[in-house]
Amino acid sequence: MRRYTLKNILVVVGIGALILVLAYFTHGKFLSEKVFELDDARVVPSVEIEDGVDYVPTDAKYLASQHFSAIAGTGPVTGPVIAGMTYGWFPTLLWILFGTIFIGCVHDMGALVASIRHKAAGIADTMRNYVSKRVWILFNLFIFFTLVMIIVAFTDITTSSFVNTIELADGKVVGGGAITTSSILYLILPVIMGLLLKYTKNSYCRTRVWTSSLCEDERLSSGLN
């Protein structure tokens, strides 16, 4: 029975991955060429105003991995979980796939392109060039209160996981201490990875494998397997 369950899961994951790949080459190409009109010849801020501190030309693989790890907000993190508990796995799958393609992709890509074309300015500074002062102040207030809600939501989720116990699928109960230890390790590992990439000759892939192995060892030792 477990074998067929795993097979079904792999089929769903495979279909989802295929949809995302197709969207990358179709919807992504449409956004790049028709909507944002990306041009490789355009000079980016990290090159135009390079100062070695805030503006540093960086390899694409580092930028992509950083953005991938930082993309999720309270909506993508908690939304599908709540939807899965309420409506089941299929609506949640649709949420993740089509929300990523038609909402998350457009939002993040648009924000990045706007920043690049305004000397790496944030969204608030970028908007200042196009709206009145009153609208700009209201937008900043909106950002402020939105960030407050995000901080509250993440704080609540994090503290709950730290102090409560969680029962895993196999019946094992994991305490908050194990989750706290793993969380601290996940915060330390990016620093270690950055130092390895900067000061050693380890390739990007070998460094990722090494840090991922540490994460897995920590998960196993903490009981999060």
Side-chain angles (χ1 to χ4, degrees):
M1 182 66 179
R2 179 175 298 179
R3 182 181 62 183
Y4 292 108
T5 301
L6 177 60
K7 180 179 178 180
N8 293 338
I9 293 174
L10 292 177
V11 169
V12 172
V13 172
I15 294 174
L18 179 61
I19 292 175
L20 292 176
V21 170
L22 291 175
Y24 174 82
F25 288 104
T26 55
H27 187 241
K29 184 178 181 180
F30 169 76
L31 292 176
S32 300
E33 297 180 356
K34 303 298 183 181
V35 178
F36 299 115
E37 298 179 350
L38 300 185
D39 183 5
D40 291 338
R42 189 188 296 267
V43 180
V44 295
S46 60
V47 175
E48 181 182 1
I49 50 180
E50 178 182 359
D51 61 3
V53 180
D54 295 316
Y55 303 91
V56 181
T58 306
D59 195 292
K61 61 177 175 287
Y62 304 128
L63 294 177
S65 59
Q66 189 280 333
H67 184 64
F68 179 79
S69 65
I71 187 174
T74 50
V77 170
T78 62
V81 175
I82 297 174
M85 296 171 59
T86 306
Y87 303 109
W89 67 270
F90 186 67
T92 305
L93 180 65
L94 296 179
W95 178 325
I96 294 173
L97 290 177
F98 295 105
T100 298
I101 296 170
F102 296 109
I103 301 176
C105 168
V106 179
H107 173 276
D108 283 53
M109 192 172 181
L112 288 172
V113 172
S115 178
I116 289 173
R117 293 180 179 174
H118 292 81
K119 297 186 183 299
I123 188 65
D125 290 332
T126 301
M127 276 197 62
R128 194 171 192 172
N129 300 316
Y130 302 99
V131 298
S132 66
K133 184 177 181 180
R134 179 180 298 177
V135 173
W136 182 73
I137 292 174
L138 290 174
F139 182 72
N140 277 273
L141 290 174
F142 169 78
I143 293 176
F144 174 78
F145 288 112
T146 301
L147 290 176
V148 169
M149 289 191 294
I150 291 173
I151 292 172
V152 170
F154 269 121
T155 302
D156 178 65
I157 295 171
T158 304
T159 53
S160 297
S161 63
F162 283 177
V163 300
N164 296 336
T165 57
I166 299 176
E167 184 175 353
L168 304 180
D170 58 0
K172 183 183 296 184
V173 176
V174 179
I179 300 174
T180 305
T181 303
S182 298
S183 300
I184 293 174
L185 181 64
Y186 282 125
L187 294 175
I188 296 174
L189 280 177
V191 179
I192 298 175
M193 179 179 173
L195 293 174
L196 287 174
L197 289 170
K198 184 175 180 62
Y199 296 109
T200 71
K201 295 182 179 180
N202 285 336
S203 69
Y204 176 75
C205 292
R206 287 203 301 270
T207 304
R208 287 301 297 269
V209 170
W210 185 81
T211 52
S212 298
S213 298
L214 284 181
C215 280
E216 184 63 24
D217 291 342
E218 176 60 25
R219 288 177 71 254
L220 292 175
S221 63
S222 301
L224 299 177
N225 52 358

